[in-house]
Amino acid sequence: MKRIVILISGRGSNMEAIQRRCAQERWPAQVVAVIANQPQAAGLEFARAHGIATAVVDHQRFSTRESFDAALAEAIEAHSPDLVVLAGFMRILGDTFVRRYEGRMLNIHPSLLPAFPGLHTHRRALQAGCKASGATVHFVTPQLDHGPIVMQSVVPVLPDDSEESLAARVLATEHRIYPQAVQWFVRGELRIEAGVVRHIAGASQLLLT
Ligand code: GRF
């Protein structure tokens, strides 16, 4: 069984989607812990209710990024994970931390990377007049919202979209592609060749809606 640790900062709907599919589809994996940097993160409740270990590493208690990263790594290591999943985890992680989990840490970002790394992706997509947007699951590298792309979803941007309506359309696809990407990882079905992620049996890494 592969051991998955999920890091969240808030609602945790992607964490929920991964946990539900992992349990329902009997993946060779288990979500062994959910760790938040916000004591009030709503997703912690779901984790507790499902018997998953939880921990809080409150970034406000640390004066440097290095000391926060070290405490976070300690909390993670207590669960000996095979995979670390960033699911709406809103802290930038330092290079040392990222390298420690190289090739075994995934993130989801609500844009078609490499477009719009960082915050306010939906607002920026609307302001740019994009006709399509989406979400990206990628391996985490030291550069923010970069790294080998595992899967992307594409949704239309509609003429009367608001930031909220676009975010909701993208989020619905996040709940499909993130569990898929994690399932491939725990089954050992992903290969990275020259920075490009491929599914070993050629499964489609694109969700068009
Ligand atoms: C998602 O849109 C994710 O892509 C972004 O933050 C949001 C987190 O939502 N990084 P949730 O906490 O998974 O509900």
Side-chain angles (χ1 to χ4, degrees), residues 82-181:
D82 298 288
L83 174 66
V84 175
V85 171
L86 307 183
F89 186 69
M90 303 301 283
R91 297 304 295 175
I92 292 176
L93 297 163
D95 287 14
T96 307
F97 181 96
V98 170
R99 286 190 208 289
R100 179 174 192 156
Y101 296 104
E102 198 167 355
R104 54 191 183 108
M105 182 157 63
L106 295 171
N107 181 42
I108 191 159
H109 185 73
S111 79
L112 291 173
L113 291 175
F116 310 127
L119 296 174
H120 309 303
T121 53
H122 305 300
R123 187 186 312 169
R124 288 154 68 203
L126 290 170
Q127 282 168 351
C130 292
K131 307 307 174 216
S133 191
T136 304
V137 178
H138 65 95
F139 283 99
V140 178
T141 55
Q143 196 179 346
L144 179 70
D145 297 329
H146 260 74
I149 292 172
V150 179
M151 190 167 188
Q152 289 187 307
S153 59
V154 179
V155 304
V157 177
L158 302 178
D160 56 355
D161 261 336
S162 62
E163 222 173 305
E164 291 71 29
S165 64
L166 179 56
R169 192 175 309 119
V170 171
L171 186 67
T173 69
E174 293 182 43
H175 297 160
R176 295 171 64 187
I177 65 171
Y178 213 177
Q180 179 62 81

Side-chain angles (χ1 to χ4, degrees), residues 54 60 195:
T54 60
Q60 290 185 325

